[in-house]
Amino acid sequence: MIYIIILILILFIFLSLRFSWWRKNISFNYPRVLMYHMISEHLPKNKSKFNRLRVKPSEFEKQLIWLKKNGFTSFTLSELVNLEVIPNKAVVLSFDDGYEDNFTKAFPLLQKYNFKATIYIVLNRFNENWATDKDLDKASNELNSEKMLNDEQIKIMIKSGLIEIGSHTLDHVNLPKLSNEEKHTQIKESKEKIEDNFSIKCNSFAYPFGFFDQNSVKIVEEVAYFNATTTVNGVFDKSKYSNFEIPRIIISGRQGLFSFILKIKKGRNR
């Protein structure tokens, strides 16, 4: 009997640490900005370090259904920051890098449930070494082998009115490691190329890896973006965060709907 009690206690502690169910819910007056990368099936575990970046299409659909049934309204980042009054249960779906499955897998589901999204693209995403494993500080073969969005797919999504295209720099660089001149080039030229390629205004920016410093923030504002997202964990409380340091809630491909619901209610990754 004592062993069963110990086992239950260990399980309780594990689940409490993993899901943080005990945290206080954060008011839905604060919008949730969600961070995704890929919507795709997982690779075999022995061949992937990055399945956490791959949310299965079936799981993504469950998430959209839950948001819809629970009265959430989606906005692009540009729409959200331009609102004079942010409504209750506002949500932004954001996607980093510009993977092709954002068009082949995510976009049909966004259309089906009438959800908007902001997709941040790396301009030189077709280079063989654009994607870096930040833990090892070297190119990731796994990520660099992924198919990326082409310009025609992006144009189709823009035309739908559901998708905003933002910048993720030219080369997915670690901005704090660059000189101010290099930062300026990565931030400004990526914006200009998006505007030239797609005949749109590029108003939104996402710091690669979530890494940023105050010089990066200053340049993003100076070159006329309207907003920028980070990987700071939390909800968008305008009394705490500027439009150029917007926090996001990371949605992992290794967690199911229960974890997703907790993240929405608690307003944080865990």
Side-chain angles (χ1 to χ4, degrees):
M1 185 65 178
I2 186 68
Y3 295 111
I4 295 176
I5 293 173
I6 292 172
L7 182 62
I8 292 172
L9 181 60
I10 291 172
L11 181 61
F12 177 79
I13 293 171
F14 171 77
L15 292 175
S16 296
L17 291 173
R18 179 174 175 80
F19 295 109
S20 297
W21 55 266
W22 42 268
R23 289 186 184 275
K24 182 181 178 181
N25 290 351
I26 301 296
S27 170
F28 288 135
N29 290 331
Y30 300 108
R32 274 61 169 162
V33 182
L34 311 184
M35 176 183 174
Y36 295 89
H37 287 80
M38 292 173 266
I39 303 300
S40 68
E41 299 298 332
H42 288 185
L43 298 181
K45 289 184 179 180
N46 62 347
K47 294 183 178 180
S48 174
K49 179 182 177 181
F50 294 103
N51 275 338
R52 68 182 184 275
L53 303 184
R54 298 180 175 90
V55 174
K56 296 177 181 179
S58 59
E59 289 298 320
F60 184 58
E61 184 166 19
K62 290 176 186 176
Q63 294 168 7
L64 295 182
I65 291 171
W66 186 88
L67 290 170
K68 179 71 72 175
K69 285 185 175 179
N70 285 274
F72 285 82
T73 302
S74 70
F75 298 91
T76 66
L77 247 301
S78 289
E79 288 175 340
L80 184 74
V81 300
N82 284 331
L83 292 173
E84 291 187 10
V85 178
I86 296 177
N88 195 40
K89 292 189 173 181
V91 66
V92 175
L93 310 179
S94 68
F95 295 80
D96 285 9
D97 301 339
Y99 297 98
E100 186 182 56
D101 58 61
N102 292 183
F103 176 77
T104 59
K105 302 297 184 182
F107 183 51
L109 292 171
L110 294 171
Q111 289 179 303
K112 181 177 180 180
Y113 296 100
N114 195 33
F115 271 81
K116 296 181 177 181
T118 296
I119 299 176
Y120 301 104
I121 62 172
V122 177
L123 271 295
N124 295 331
R125 61 195 177 278
F126 299 107
N127 291 350
E128 293 183 358
N129 63 347
W130 74 268
T132 303
D133 183 331
K134 68 178 181 180
D135 297 328
L136 302 177
D137 197 23
K138 68 177 185 180
S140 165
N141 292 332
E142 178 184 345
L143 295 180
N144 283 308
S145 66
E146 289 289 336
K147 291 184 178 180
M148 307 303 291
L149 287 169
N150 63 46
D151 285 1
E152 289 307 310
Q153 292 168 331
I154 292 172
K155 289 176 182 177
I156 291 171
M157 291 194 291
I158 291 172
K159 190 175 180 180
S160 74
L162 294 176
I163 306 298
E164 174 191 22
I165 298 299
S167 167
H168 209 31
T169 70
L170 295 172
D171 301 297
H172 201 269
V173 290
N174 184 337
L175 288 169
K177 288 187 175 182
L178 304 183
S179 68
N180 280 346
E181 183 178 354
E182 291 170 325
K183 288 184 178 79
H184 194 274
T185 297
Q186 288 286 334
I187 294 168
K188 186 173 186 289
E189 289 190 9
S190 59
K191 173 181 170 69
E192 292 173 343
K193 288 187 176 183
I194 287 173
E195 293 178 343
D196 289 343
N197 290 350
F198 306 113
S199 300
I200 60 172
K201 289 295 291 181
C202 179
N203 297 321
S204 298
F205 184 84
Y207 303 101
F209 310 107
F211 297 158
F212 65 98
D213 55 18
Q214 288 310 302
N215 284 334
S216 300
V217 175
K218 182 179 179 182
I219 293 169
V220 169
E221 189 169 3
E222 286 177 346
V223 302
Y225 289 95
F226 290 169
N227 64 81
T229 52
T230 70
T231 57
V232 173
N233 181 19
V235 297
F236 185 24
D237 180 348
K238 287 196 171 188
S239 70
K240 295 181 180 179
Y241 301 101
S242 78
N243 286 350
F244 298 95
E245 297 181 37
I246 297 173
R248 290 191 285 179
I249 299 168
I250 298 172
I251 305 303
S252 172
R254 291 177 177 157
Q255 298 170 330
L257 184 62
F258 176 71
S259 176
F260 176 82
I261 294 170
L262 282 179
K263 288 181 178 186
I264 299 297
K265 291 183 175 181
K266 307 302 177 185
R268 53 185 294 120
N269 297 339
R270 61 169 57 187

